[in-house]
Amino acid sequence: MDFDLIVRDVNLPDGRMNVDVACRAGRITGLDTSIGGSAKTVIEGGGKVLSPPFVDIHFHLDATLSLGTPRLNQSGTLLEGIALWGELKPLLTKDAVIERALRYCDLAVAQGLLVIRSHVDVCDDRLVGVEALLEVRDRVRDYIDLQLCAFPQDGYFRSPTAARNLERALDMGVDIVGGIPHFERTMAEGDRSVRALCEIAAKRGLRVDLHCDETDDPLSRHIEALAFETQRLGLQGRVAGSHLTSMHSMDNYYVSKLLPLMAEAGVHAVPNPLANIVLQGRHDTYPKRRGLARVPEMRAQGINVAFGQDSTMDPWYSLGGADMLDVAHMAVHVGHLTSRDAVRYCFEAVTTNPATVFGLEGYGIAPGRNADFVLLDARDPIEAIRLRAARLAVVRRGKVLATSAPRRTELALEGRPATVEPWRYAPPPS
Ligand SMILES: [Zn+2]
């Protein structure tokens, strides 16, 4: 056999059409219009799009699939979600967290989601979540790249043991440094936490990902401190500001000054459209603000924007299903990102852009890269978002991990076609 795997006749997200992709020993070895030779496994692409795997750059694996335990979030607010999680935390057991996280990872693989950055709450002196997710990271190593972020949910300064626990978690092997400046007691304390957390990351040579300004308060400006500290400490490219929802409500003049600072500092922006369209605007009457960071404006400044899912069936968001196309679909709507170019950008914001935030090597469909990809039941990335397309095949290191049937419905209408296949409704290529 010449190859382990050939995927024939696929389109690529960059617009190339009808190519073959050949893989050997876990890597992509050939990419051309027609590759000869034999392979142990052949997947017929049928003119559908082959994407690198989805990347969820913002998630909470310790809380996922806990919906309703011990009760539901009645107000729908972020603050009730945090309070509810606080009620659940003392009840957590390591085995239960592992079981929920592994079950979620099964779903993630089925959805072509093979790269996840998960926050793990360190405001529990037992560090049950940390122990559990470190074990999960090991157990899923062969099918998911899982990066863990030490997250002081109750505030780095506000929670009396958070600082010590955060260092303990990093010593135990958690990958990166998290924080939540807008949850500290004052704006000044929030900024002080940004500085302290960035200094820890600089000292340890780690990345940073802070929950930052997840509020509708236009004066919540910790992202400014985060960008400043990134520059001061030489952390360019290693720092992400997650949520940034206050940016939605900020003064326009202030934003015109903030965005160039973020771009200069090389800070990544991580909006979470699904969670924040329901968590934000809860103190508004009408009109209700959307609470999404200014994606088109950040993009225009050259800031790397990546979308996260944040939650699936937990105290903050009761729906979700490891579907990054759902996340992109919501972003298209909430952010008015409806031009063809902008919809394509939303696809990049759940694939290549978050891979950059993660610091992932070997990602992307090109010779020499890892043989990791997803065949979608759609012709191109725009169609994939429109249809929230089925994942026909999910491949990692050249091995098929999951397959699904294409969507196809039998019709019983007099004088009309016998079947409907949604992907065939694609408009002419633009
Ligand atoms: Zn989060």
Side-chain angles (χ1 to χ4, degrees):
M1 291 288 170
D2 303 301
F3 303 104
D4 297 327
L5 170 70
I6 293 183
V7 190
R8 294 207 182 278
D9 188 21
V10 290
N11 303 334
L12 300 182
D14 65 11
R16 279 177 286 173
M17 296 183 81
N18 307 108
V19 298
D20 293 353
V21 178
C23 313
R24 193 165 39 215
R27 295 200 175 262
I28 296 171
T29 50
L31 199 165
D32 214 330
T33 42
S34 182
I35 296 177
S38 57
K40 276 181 235 155
T41 308
V42 175
I43 298 174
E44 293 298 340
K48 294 177 180 176
V49 66
L50 190 77
S51 166
F54 294 108
V55 179
D56 184 359
I57 200 63
H58 189 113
F59 196 67
H60 294 263
L61 259 185
D62 50 1
T64 195
L65 305 183
S66 68
L67 184 69
T69 324
R71 62 181 176 85
L72 293 165
N73 184 335
Q74 297 299 332
S75 66
T77 60
L78 172 70
L79 293 180
E80 187 178 343
I82 294 174
L84 215 168
W85 173 241
E87 291 168 33
L88 176 56
K89 244 190 293 196
L91 311 175
L92 293 177
T93 65
K94 184 177 164 187
D95 286 349
V97 176
I98 289 173
E99 182 49 35
R100 281 194 279 105
L102 287 176
R103 195 153 169 262
Y104 176 83
C105 288
D106 297 340
L107 183 63
V109 169
Q111 298 282 34
L113 170 55
L114 302 183
V115 186
I116 300 172
R117 172 182 286 177
S118 174
H119 296 259
V120 53
D121 189 357
V122 299
C123 291
D124 162 18
D125 294 343
R126 301 176 302 153
L127 293 184
V128 166
V130 172
E131 281 185 9
L133 293 193
L134 284 169
E135 187 171 328
V136 169
R137 190 181 64 185
D138 264 356
R139 286 172 68 173
V140 303
R141 194 173 290 281
D142 288 341
Y143 51 95
I144 287 179
D145 286 295
L146 176 59
Q147 190 177 60
L148 299 177
C149 179
F151 175 47
Q153 170 76 75
D154 300 331
Y156 180 71
F157 289 126
R158 185 170 171 176
S159 165
T161 55
R164 185 168 56 85
N165 289 347
L166 184 129
E167 299 270 5
R168 277 171 66 206
L170 295 173
D171 289 341
M172 287 162 72
V174 169
D175 303 287
I176 71 172
V177 180
I180 184 164
H182 56 272
F183 198 65
E184 304 292 350
R185 281 302 194 190
T186 65
M187 289 290 176
E189 284 286 273
D191 278 354
R192 203 158 72 79
S193 80
V194 170
R195 171 180 280 237
L197 292 161
C198 287
E199 284 177 352
I200 292 170
K203 197 165 116 214
R204 289 178 178 257
L206 301 178
R207 289 170 188 271
V208 178
D209 189 334
L210 303 189
H211 284 65
C212 199
D213 305 320
E214 190 180 5
T215 123
D216 293 317
D217 175 3
L219 296 177
S220 186
R221 296 173 170 189
H222 300 298
I223 180 59
E224 181 185 80
L226 184 60
F228 180 79
E229 291 301 322
T230 301
Q231 271 189 325
R232 182 177 74 85
L233 296 164
L235 295 171
Q236 288 89 343
R238 283 162 50 190
V239 174
S242 280
H243 296 290
L244 306 177
T245 54
S246 72
M247 189 192 289
H248 189 91
S249 303
M250 281 172 181
D251 173 72
N252 289 336
Y253 174 77
Y254 176 71
V255 172
S256 77
K257 187 164 163 279
L258 173 67
L259 298 191
L261 172 66
M262 290 173 65
E264 266 172 50
V267 170
H268 308 288
V270 179
N272 297 287
L274 284 180
N276 285 125
I277 194 62
V278 294
L279 290 172
Q280 306 313 126
R282 291 280 179 168
H283 292 82
D284 294 349
T285 53
Y286 288 94
K288 289 181 191 292
R289 286 167 290 173
R290 300 178 169 200
L292 186 71
R294 304 186 187 197
V295 175
E297 292 77 9
M298 287 194 287
R299 181 189 177 198
Q301 282 289 335
I303 296 165
N304 182 42
V305 179
F307 298 140
Q309 190 189 193
D310 203 11
S311 289
T312 282
M313 300 172 75
D314 71 10
W316 295 276
Y317 186 61
S318 64
L319 308 178
D323 188 346
M324 296 309 293
L325 288 173
D326 234 3
V327 175
H329 191 264
M330 181 59 77
V332 166
H333 290 78
V334 179
H336 284 167
L337 293 155
T338 48
S339 72
R340 305 307 273 172
D341 175 60
V343 181
R344 267 190 290 269
Y345 182 76
C346 288
F347 191 86
E348 291 165 15
V350 293
T351 51
T352 49
N353 296 1
T356 302
V357 183
F358 193 98
L360 200 61
E361 284 177 11
Y363 181 87
I365 299 186
R369 306 279 177 88
N370 292 329
D372 301 353
F373 37 72
V374 187
L375 180 64
L376 298 167
D377 192 15
R379 191 195 58 198
D380 59 40
I382 296 176
E383 283 293 292
I385 291 177
R386 184 179 74 80
L387 297 165
R388 267 115 344 127
R391 283 66 165 170
L392 303 178
V394 179
V395 174
R396 189 175 190 274
R397 304 297 191 267
K399 200 175 133 204
V400 179
L401 299 181
T403 55
S404 302
R407 261 180 76 195
R408 184 170 182 276
T409 304
E410 310 289 327
L411 271 191
L413 299 176
E414 194 76 25
R416 300 303 304 155
T419 58
V420 167
E421 293 175 280
W423 86 283
R424 293 191 186 280
Y425 285 69
S430 54

